[in-house]
Amino acid sequence: MSTESQEQDSGVGTAEELSPELLIKHPLQNVWSLWFYKNDRTKSWEENLMEIITCDTVEDFWALYNHLEVVSKIPLGCDYALFKQGIKPMWEDTRNKQGGRWLLNVQKSQRNTDLNNYWLEILLCMIGEAFDESSDDVNGTVVQIRNKGDKLAVWTADVKHYDAIMKIGKTIKDRLNLHPRNTIGYEAHTDTQVKTGSVAKCRYTL
């Protein structure tokens, strides 16, 4: 019996039978969706929130990232968000309701020096499952460009998961190489919705 016949009988396929994409692409553990919030005051908040594209391989992520406007160049009032597929970057989503966010305030003076690197590093933490066993608690990340200063946040699923929240926060500080004096705070979404003034109560700080 020929080698080809043996392969057919045993159910073993040849390399030529596989999709070329499967041979070269590296699948991500989760499928991620990129969202863009456009600051159009003639539309409602939800109408301004648009899902742009999803990616499920390392190569697709880089193709997406390399074609995006860098975050420091998007207009004031706009956001980028990267969330696990099926989760919308809004408090009302059922998978966000019980959760909160680690929040880093980025000064305007850092927009052209640090913000792009911070955002890319957080994106790599997302798709690379950098939070180890706590990665399941991560829902997504949002960057907001604002006149008074920009905001970078990582959203988690449940405010009661203290160990996972602290692991995620410590990983963020480590990966962004933040100075010890540069603190980040964790806010519950329920607290953010009922905040007084412009400040929400921080459940935890690092």
Side-chain angles (χ1 to χ4, degrees):
M1 183 182 291
S2 68
T3 302
E4 182 179 357
S5 299
Q6 289 175 335
E7 288 179 341
Q8 290 173 347
D9 289 345
S10 64
V12 177
T14 61
E16 288 77 17
E17 293 171 343
L18 295 175
S19 162
E21 286 193 341
L22 291 178
L23 292 174
I24 61 172
K25 290 195 174 183
H26 300 80
L28 301 174
Q29 189 167 322
N30 284 286
V31 181
W32 296 88
S33 296
L34 178 79
W35 298 76
F36 180 69
Y37 176 82
K38 184 179 181 181
N39 186 25
D40 183 345
R41 296 185 179 182
T42 67
K43 296 180 180 179
S44 70
W45 189 90
E46 280 202 53
E47 288 175 325
N48 279 329
L49 185 64
M50 299 169 285
E51 185 175 7
I52 305 300
I53 196 170
T54 62
C55 57
D56 60 2
T57 69
V58 174
E59 290 77 13
D60 288 346
F61 167 78
W62 283 114
L64 165 64
Y65 183 81
N66 289 331
H67 282 87
L68 281 179
E69 183 73 88
V70 294
V71 66
S72 62
K73 301 295 185 185
I74 66 174
L76 285 174
C78 294
D79 306 348
Y80 278 145
L82 188 78
F83 273 67
K84 289 174 179 172
Q85 188 179 42
I87 306 177
K88 292 182 179 180
M90 53 197 299
W91 297 326
E92 296 84 356
D93 190 287
T94 55
R95 292 177 64 179
N96 290 325
K97 277 186 175 181
Q98 306 303 318
R101 62 177 181 171
W102 278 110
L103 181 64
L104 172 65
N105 291 298
V106 183
Q107 297 178 13
K108 287 173 66 175
S109 60
Q110 294 177 277
R111 184 176 296 159
N112 294 316
T113 55
D114 297 322
L115 183 63
N116 293 328
N117 289 334
Y118 285 170
W119 175 236
L120 176 57
E121 194 62 42
I122 290 296
L123 293 179
L124 295 177
C125 286
M126 296 285 123
I127 67 167
E129 311 293 330
F131 308 103
D132 299 328
E133 70 281 356
S134 300
S135 292
D136 287 344
D137 263 81
V138 173
N139 283 353
T141 181
V142 181
V143 61
Q144 301 175 305
I145 305 303
R146 299 293 185 266
N147 187 49
K148 293 182 178 180
D150 308 321
K151 296 182 177 182
L152 182 58
V154 172
W155 288 31
T156 75
D158 196 323
V159 295
K160 295 189 294 292
H161 294 174
Y162 175 81
D163 290 344
I165 288 169
M166 298 309 288
K167 164 71 175 178
I168 292 163
K170 289 173 183 175
T171 302
I172 293 168
K173 288 201 73 171
D174 182 56
R175 289 288 291 262
L176 299 186
N177 197 27
L178 298 179
H179 191 279
R181 289 199 301 269
N182 195 348
T183 60
I184 58 175
Y186 184 84
E187 303 171 352
H189 294 319
T190 52
D191 293 340
T192 307
Q193 292 176 71
V194 296
K195 64 186 177 184
T196 55
S198 59
V199 181
K201 178 180 69 176
C202 286
R203 297 284 183 103
Y204 318 114
T205 57
L206 278 174

